[in-house]
Amino acid sequence: MSEISVATPQLLRRVSAGAVLDFMRASQAVTVTDVMEATGLTRATAISVCEDLMHRGWIRELENQRAFGGYQKGRPARRFELNERAGYVLGMDVGVSKATVVVSDLRGKALGRSSQPFAEADIPAEERIAVIDRTAMMALHSVGASPDSVLAVCAGIAAPVDRNGEVLVTQHFWGLFDVGLKAALRDRRGWTVLLENDANLAALGDRWRGAAAGVDDVVVILASERLGSGVIDGGRLLHGRGGGAGELAFLDMLEGVGDTYGIASLARRWAAEALAGKAKTSLRDHAAKGAEAEHVFAAAADGDAVARAILERLADRMARVIGAVATMINPELVVIGGAVANSAGVLLEPIARHLAKYTVTPPRVAVSPLGDSIVTVGAVRCALDYVEKNTLDLELAVPD
């Protein structure tokens, strides 16, 4: 038999406070009347809850309606808004070569950012943690925020992570990220740290503020150097038993693909192969440093035959990848994300042209507008979700 919760005054007060905070997060300045209409609370309860939240630092009171200029007659209305600087969240993108940390306020506005390289890929856990910690402190310093003001941290890593935040370590590369980051940052800074796969965070980020906004069935493919994907099905992020949902290692066995190299790495390689021959191509202008994907796409747009051949080759390969994903998962939308997305829009038409050959359930295909920030945007969203779920149990360091 299920337990029945007793509606105690404390529980009702907590529910009321949660409803007011949810409304505040979705609004700008509001009056007590606005709060009453949105939550169904009585005026006395709405005022009492707002005053309590203000005392705790989560919201702040603004000048009243008379001072603001909207007062007509009668008692001037009190006005409140979310205190978006009551605390901060950190969104981290921990790759194999560098760590990037973004500081965000409680409305999800990015305030500061810092990136620091790792000396090499295979470094001791203590060294990797030290670089991540230093990067976080630099980002906080850039906005004048103290470590004590951090309410939650989410770190995206290039390895599968299960629902409990545990790293799946079945190969050496994934093991590089199993460094005990949650415990280390808790011990060093007292932070609550959430771990998540980077492609999963890319899916959360793009669905929040990218091409997939409002789409409940979407696959986001990080496609720059290596291919990895995050899957949202029915509005829910999929993890699988060990966090492996969305992993694309099966591409090693997919005809016409054969590996998980991404658009940027393949464009670079195939351009180098073309330049090693005698073909006439404008890509030779970049021979000294090596042609990158954006050079290939720009040359293709100008009609360069070699570049156009590389573009078609990339489009066919991505169509095979998207076709396989679409056949298994049947999303409404597939988004190409990562730094390469800034220039990958030229691939959309040829991908669509090839896609019908590889699946009977072709999705829409788009590129993310978030560029190389897609993982940190998702990490910020994940950290905000934690804060919003647990706000009434969190203590602010210094209420504003």
Side-chain angles (χ1 to χ4, degrees):
M1 181 180 295
S2 60
E3 295 183 1
I4 300 176
S5 298
V6 178
T8 63
Q10 293 82 2
L11 177 60
L12 292 174
R13 182 81 170 186
R14 184 181 180 90
V15 171
S16 297
V20 171
L21 276 170
D22 286 345
F23 175 57
M24 292 283 191
R25 292 189 187 103
S27 310
Q28 298 301 317
V30 300
T31 65
V32 173
T33 300
D34 295 329
V35 173
M36 293 167 57
E37 292 176 350
T39 63
L41 299 176
T42 65
R43 178 172 294 276
T45 301
I47 292 173
S48 177
V49 169
C50 285
E51 289 179 342
D52 180 57
L53 291 173
M54 185 173 62
H55 176 73
R56 295 179 61 183
W58 290 109
I59 67 175
R60 57 191 171 205
E61 186 168 10
L62 305 175
E63 56 189 359
N64 66 35
Q65 200 73 11
R66 174 185 284 128
F68 181 64
Y71 168 70
Q72 298 296 322
K73 58 184 178 179
R75 180 181 299 175
R78 298 177 69 180
R79 301 166 63 246
F80 301 90
E81 70 176 2
L82 179 73
N83 181 9
E84 67 271 7
R85 300 293 180 90
Y88 303 90
V89 299
L90 302 184
M92 298 182 172
D93 181 0
V94 181
V96 68
S97 61
K98 67 177 181 179
T100 299
V101 178
V102 168
V103 183
S104 167
D105 68 17
L106 297 185
R107 288 195 185 275
K109 180 181 179 181
L111 304 173
R113 178 186 178 100
S114 180
S115 291
Q116 290 291 302
F118 298 115
E120 56 187 53
D122 204 347
I123 57 176
E126 296 77 9
E127 184 177 345
R128 191 174 294 276
I129 290 168
V131 171
I132 296 168
D133 180 64
R134 183 167 64 250
T135 307
M137 297 306 293
M138 292 172 66
L140 287 168
H141 179 74
S142 72
V143 300
S146 70
D148 291 343
S149 65
V150 175
L151 298 176
V153 178
C154 180
I157 62 175
V161 180
D162 68 17
R163 298 180 187 90
N164 299 316
E166 299 300 324
V167 182
L168 177 64
V169 182
T170 57
Q171 57 172 275
H172 175 71
F173 180 78
W174 293 345
L176 297 177
F177 302 95
D178 187 29
V179 297
L181 185 63
K182 291 191 294 184
L185 292 183
R186 181 188 63 231
D187 293 344
R188 288 187 180 209
R189 307 294 177 189
W191 293 343
T192 295
V193 180
L194 314 169
L195 280 189
E196 184 55 272
N197 172 259
D198 55 359
N200 284 352
L201 291 180
L204 289 179
D206 197 80
R207 186 168 181 260
W208 182 31
R209 288 185 169 169
V215 179
D216 286 340
D217 299 285
V218 60
V219 174
V220 175
I221 299 178
L222 289 180
S224 292
E225 298 299 325
R226 290 276 186 171
L227 299 178
S229 71
V231 180
I232 293 177
D233 180 74
R236 181 173 64 93
L237 182 66
L238 299 186
H239 286 89
R241 180 175 63 86
E247 285 298 321
L248 298 178
F250 73 89
L251 295 178
D252 291 352
M253 300 176 285
L254 185 63
E255 182 179 354
V257 180
D259 54 53
T260 58
Y261 287 107
I263 293 169
S265 57
L266 289 175
R268 189 183 307 122
R269 182 202 306 172
W270 292 344
E273 291 173 357
L275 291 175
K278 297 181 179 181
K280 183 178 180 180
T281 172
S282 61
L283 294 177
R284 295 197 181 280
D285 295 342
H286 308 284
K289 294 184 178 180
E292 300 290 341
E294 59 265 29
H295 302 137
V296 172
F297 297 152
D302 289 338
D304 185 283
V306 170
R308 287 177 66 85
I310 294 174
L311 185 148
E312 281 293 323
R313 193 174 171 189
L314 287 169
D316 180 77
R317 189 177 188 278
M318 285 304 298
R320 292 172 185 264
V321 173
I322 293 170
V325 168
T327 299
M328 291 187 293
I329 300 172
N330 190 212
E332 174 185 341
L333 175 69
V334 170
V335 177
I336 296 172
V340 76
N342 292 330
S343 58
V346 295
L347 286 171
L348 293 181
E349 185 279 326
I351 286 175
R353 182 163 22 91
H354 289 291
L355 192 53
K357 296 184 294 185
Y358 303 123
T359 180
V360 295
T361 56
R364 291 190 293 116
V365 183
V367 294
S368 175
L370 300 179
D372 63 358
S373 297
I374 191 169
V375 173
T376 53
V377 170
V380 165
R381 182 64 265 170
C382 182
L384 285 175
D385 286 344
Y386 173 86
V387 171
E388 292 172 7
K389 180 179 179 181
N390 297 281
T391 296
L392 299 177
D393 296 316
L394 299 176
E395 293 291 334
L396 300 177
V398 182
D400 188 4

Short mmCIF file of all heavy atoms in Angstrom, two decimals, residues 298-332:
data_model
loop_
_atom_site.label_atom_id
_atom_site.label_comp_id
_atom_site.label_asym_id
_atom_site.label_seq_id
_atom_site.Cartn_x
_atom_site.Cartn_y
_atom_site.Cartn_z
N ALA A 298 34.35 26.32 -47.87
CA ALA A 298 34.40 27.60 -48.59
C ALA A 298 34.84 27.39 -50.03
O ALA A 298 34.28 27.98 -50.97
CB ALA A 298 35.34 28.57 -47.88
N ALA A 299 35.85 26.53 -50.22
CA ALA A 299 36.32 26.25 -51.58
C ALA A 299 35.25 25.54 -52.40
O ALA A 299 35.06 25.83 -53.59
CB ALA A 299 37.59 25.40 -51.52
N ALA A 300 34.51 24.64 -51.77
CA ALA A 300 33.43 23.94 -52.46
C ALA A 300 32.36 24.93 -52.92
O ALA A 300 31.81 24.83 -54.02
CB ALA A 300 32.82 22.87 -51.56
N ALA A 301 32.05 25.90 -52.04
CA ALA A 301 31.06 26.91 -52.40
C ALA A 301 31.51 27.75 -53.59
O ALA A 301 30.68 28.25 -54.36
CB ALA A 301 30.78 27.81 -51.20
N ASP A 302 32.83 27.88 -53.76
CA ASP A 302 33.39 28.64 -54.89
C ASP A 302 33.55 27.78 -56.15
O ASP A 302 34.07 28.26 -57.16
CB ASP A 302 34.74 29.25 -54.51
CG ASP A 302 34.59 30.39 -53.50
OD1 ASP A 302 33.49 30.97 -53.44
OD2 ASP A 302 35.57 30.68 -52.79
N GLY A 303 33.13 26.52 -56.06
CA GLY A 303 33.15 25.65 -57.23
C GLY A 303 34.40 24.82 -57.40
O GLY A 303 34.57 24.16 -58.44
N ASP A 304 35.29 24.79 -56.39
CA ASP A 304 36.51 23.99 -56.48
C ASP A 304 36.13 22.50 -56.55
O ASP A 304 35.45 21.97 -55.67
CB ASP A 304 37.38 24.25 -55.25
CG ASP A 304 38.72 23.55 -55.31
OD1 ASP A 304 38.75 22.32 -55.06
OD2 ASP A 304 39.72 24.20 -55.61
N ALA A 305 36.59 21.82 -57.62
CA ALA A 305 36.19 20.44 -57.87
C ALA A 305 36.68 19.49 -56.78
O ALA A 305 35.95 18.58 -56.36
CB ALA A 305 36.69 19.98 -59.23
N VAL A 306 37.91 19.66 -56.33
CA VAL A 306 38.46 18.80 -55.29
C VAL A 306 37.68 18.97 -53.98
O VAL A 306 37.30 17.99 -53.33
CB VAL A 306 39.96 19.10 -55.07
CG1 VAL A 306 40.48 18.37 -53.82
CG2 VAL A 306 40.77 18.70 -56.29
N ALA A 307 37.41 20.21 -53.62
CA ALA A 307 36.67 20.48 -52.39
C ALA A 307 35.24 19.96 -52.49
O ALA A 307 34.70 19.42 -51.52
CB ALA A 307 36.67 21.97 -52.10
N ARG A 308 34.63 20.09 -53.66
CA ARG A 308 33.27 19.60 -53.82
C ARG A 308 33.21 18.07 -53.70
O ARG A 308 32.26 17.52 -53.15
CB ARG A 308 32.71 20.04 -55.19
CG ARG A 308 32.39 21.53 -55.24
CD ARG A 308 31.90 21.93 -56.63
NE ARG A 308 30.62 21.30 -56.93
CZ ARG A 308 29.44 21.79 -56.56
NH1 ARG A 308 29.39 22.92 -55.87
NH2 ARG A 308 28.32 21.19 -56.89
N ALA A 309 34.25 17.41 -54.18
CA ALA A 309 34.30 15.95 -54.05
C ALA A 309 34.42 15.54 -52.58
O ALA A 309 33.79 14.57 -52.14
CB ALA A 309 35.47 15.40 -54.85
N ILE A 310 35.23 16.29 -51.81
CA ILE A 310 35.36 16.00 -50.39
C ILE A 310 34.04 16.25 -49.68
O ILE A 310 33.60 15.47 -48.83
CB ILE A 310 36.49 16.85 -49.76
CG1 ILE A 310 37.84 16.45 -50.34
CG2 ILE A 310 36.49 16.70 -48.24
CD1 ILE A 310 39.00 17.34 -49.90
N LEU A 311 33.37 17.36 -50.03
CA LEU A 311 32.08 17.67 -49.42
C LEU A 311 31.06 16.56 -49.67
O LEU A 311 30.34 16.15 -48.76
CB LEU A 311 31.57 19.02 -49.95
CG LEU A 311 30.29 19.58 -49.33
CD1 LEU A 311 30.32 21.10 -49.32
CD2 LEU A 311 29.05 19.11 -50.10
N GLU A 312 31.00 16.08 -50.92
CA GLU A 312 30.06 15.00 -51.24
C GLU A 312 30.39 13.73 -50.49
O GLU A 312 29.50 13.01 -50.03
CB GLU A 312 30.06 14.74 -52.75
CG GLU A 312 29.27 15.73 -53.56
CD GLU A 312 27.77 15.63 -53.28
OE1 GLU A 312 27.27 14.51 -53.07
OE2 GLU A 312 27.11 16.68 -53.23
N ARG A 313 31.67 13.47 -50.34
CA ARG A 313 32.10 12.28 -49.61
C ARG A 313 31.70 12.38 -48.13
O ARG A 313 31.21 11.40 -47.54
CB ARG A 313 33.62 12.15 -49.75
CG ARG A 313 34.21 10.83 -49.32
CD ARG A 313 35.69 10.83 -49.64
NE ARG A 313 36.37 9.67 -49.08
CZ ARG A 313 37.70 9.51 -49.07
NH1 ARG A 313 38.47 10.44 -49.62
NH2 ARG A 313 38.23 8.43 -48.54
N LEU A 314 31.89 13.57 -47.54
CA LEU A 314 31.48 13.78 -46.15
C LEU A 314 29.97 13.67 -46.00
O LEU A 314 29.47 13.07 -45.04
CB LEU A 314 31.94 15.17 -45.69
CG LEU A 314 33.43 15.35 -45.42
CD1 LEU A 314 33.76 16.84 -45.24
CD2 LEU A 314 33.86 14.57 -44.18
N ALA A 315 29.23 14.23 -46.97
CA ALA A 315 27.77 14.20 -46.90
C ALA A 315 27.25 12.77 -46.98
O ALA A 315 26.33 12.39 -46.24
CB ALA A 315 27.18 15.06 -48.00
N ASP A 316 27.82 11.99 -47.86
CA ASP A 316 27.37 10.60 -47.98
C ASP A 316 27.67 9.83 -46.70
O ASP A 316 26.83 9.04 -46.23
CB ASP A 316 28.07 9.93 -49.17
CG ASP A 316 27.64 8.49 -49.33
OD1 ASP A 316 26.52 8.25 -49.83
OD2 ASP A 316 28.41 7.59 -48.94
N ARG A 317 28.84 10.08 -46.14
CA ARG A 317 29.21 9.38 -44.91
C ARG A 317 28.28 9.77 -43.76
O ARG A 317 27.80 8.91 -43.00
CB ARG A 317 30.66 9.71 -44.55
CG ARG A 317 31.24 8.88 -43.40
CD ARG A 317 32.70 9.27 -43.21
NE ARG A 317 33.35 8.38 -42.26
CZ ARG A 317 33.29 8.50 -40.94
NH1 ARG A 317 32.57 9.46 -40.41
NH2 ARG A 317 33.94 7.66 -40.15
N MET A 318 28.01 11.07 -43.61
CA MET A 318 27.12 11.51 -42.55
C MET A 318 25.69 11.02 -42.78
O MET A 318 24.96 10.72 -41.82
CB MET A 318 27.15 13.03 -42.43
CG MET A 318 28.41 13.59 -41.77
SD MET A 318 28.73 12.90 -40.11
CE MET A 318 27.26 13.44 -39.22
N ALA A 319 25.28 10.92 -44.03
CA ALA A 319 23.95 10.39 -44.33
C ALA A 319 23.84 8.93 -43.89
O ALA A 319 22.80 8.50 -43.39
CB ALA A 319 23.65 10.52 -45.82
N ARG A 320 24.91 8.15 -44.08
CA ARG A 320 24.91 6.77 -43.61
C ARG A 320 24.81 6.70 -42.09
O ARG A 320 24.07 5.87 -41.53
CB ARG A 320 26.18 6.05 -44.08
CG ARG A 320 26.25 5.82 -45.59
CD ARG A 320 27.62 5.30 -45.99
NE ARG A 320 27.77 5.18 -47.43
CZ ARG A 320 27.56 4.06 -48.13
NH1 ARG A 320 27.22 2.94 -47.49
NH2 ARG A 320 27.72 4.04 -49.43
N VAL A 321 25.56 7.59 -41.41
CA VAL A 321 25.51 7.63 -39.95
C VAL A 321 24.11 8.02 -39.47
O VAL A 321 23.52 7.36 -38.61
CB VAL A 321 26.56 8.62 -39.41
CG1 VAL A 321 26.39 8.80 -37.89
CG2 VAL A 321 27.97 8.15 -39.74
N ILE A 322 23.58 9.09 -40.03
CA ILE A 322 22.26 9.57 -39.62
C ILE A 322 21.19 8.55 -39.99
O ILE A 322 20.24 8.33 -39.22
CB ILE A 322 21.97 10.94 -40.27
CG1 ILE A 322 22.93 11.99 -39.70
CG2 ILE A 322 20.52 11.36 -40.04
CD1 ILE A 322 22.90 13.32 -40.43
N GLY A 323 21.35 7.90 -41.12
CA GLY A 323 20.40 6.88 -41.52
C GLY A 323 20.36 5.72 -40.55
O GLY A 323 19.28 5.22 -40.21
N ALA A 324 21.54 5.31 -40.06
CA ALA A 324 21.58 4.22 -39.08
C ALA A 324 20.92 4.64 -37.78
O ALA A 324 20.13 3.89 -37.18
CB ALA A 324 23.03 3.81 -38.84
N VAL A 325 21.24 5.86 -37.32
CA VAL A 325 20.64 6.37 -36.08
C VAL A 325 19.13 6.50 -36.24
O VAL A 325 18.35 6.14 -35.35
CB VAL A 325 21.27 7.73 -35.73
CG1 VAL A 325 20.48 8.42 -34.63
CG2 VAL A 325 22.73 7.54 -35.30
N ALA A 326 18.69 7.01 -37.39
CA ALA A 326 17.26 7.20 -37.63
C ALA A 326 16.51 5.87 -37.67
O ALA A 326 15.37 5.77 -37.20
CB ALA A 326 17.04 7.96 -38.93
N THR A 327 17.14 4.85 -38.23
CA THR A 327 16.50 3.53 -38.31
C THR A 327 16.32 2.93 -36.93
O THR A 327 15.28 2.31 -36.63
CB THR A 327 17.33 2.60 -39.20
OG1 THR A 327 17.40 3.15 -40.52
CG2 THR A 327 16.72 1.21 -39.26
N MET A 328 17.29 3.12 -36.05
CA MET A 328 17.23 2.53 -34.71
C MET A 328 16.36 3.33 -33.75
O MET A 328 15.65 2.77 -32.93
CB MET A 328 18.63 2.40 -34.13
CG MET A 328 19.50 1.36 -34.81
SD MET A 328 21.07 1.11 -33.94
CE MET A 328 21.86 2.70 -34.19
N ILE A 329 16.41 4.67 -33.85
CA ILE A 329 15.81 5.51 -32.82
C ILE A 329 14.59 6.27 -33.32
O ILE A 329 13.70 6.62 -32.54
CB ILE A 329 16.87 6.49 -32.26
CG1 ILE A 329 18.03 5.68 -31.66
CG2 ILE A 329 16.28 7.43 -31.24
CD1 ILE A 329 19.21 6.51 -31.26
N ASN A 330 14.53 6.55 -34.61
CA ASN A 330 13.39 7.23 -35.22
C ASN A 330 13.11 8.62 -34.61
O ASN A 330 11.99 8.91 -34.20
CB ASN A 330 12.14 6.35 -35.13
CG ASN A 330 10.97 6.90 -35.96
OD1 ASN A 330 9.83 6.72 -35.59
ND2 ASN A 330 11.25 7.57 -37.06
N PRO A 331 14.13 9.50 -34.57
CA PRO A 331 13.89 10.84 -34.04
C PRO A 331 13.21 11.74 -35.06
O PRO A 331 13.25 11.47 -36.27
CB PRO A 331 15.31 11.35 -33.75
CG PRO A 331 16.13 10.68 -34.81
CD PRO A 331 15.53 9.31 -34.98
N GLU A 332 12.62 12.80 -34.57
CA GLU A 332 12.08 13.82 -35.47
C GLU A 332 13.19 14.64 -36.10
O GLU A 332 13.10 15.06 -37.25
CB GLU A 332 11.15 14.76 -34.69
CG GLU A 332 10.63 15.95 -35.48
CD GLU A 332 9.83 16.91 -34.64
OE1 GLU A 332 9.35 16.53 -33.56
OE2 GLU A 332 9.66 18.08 -35.07
#
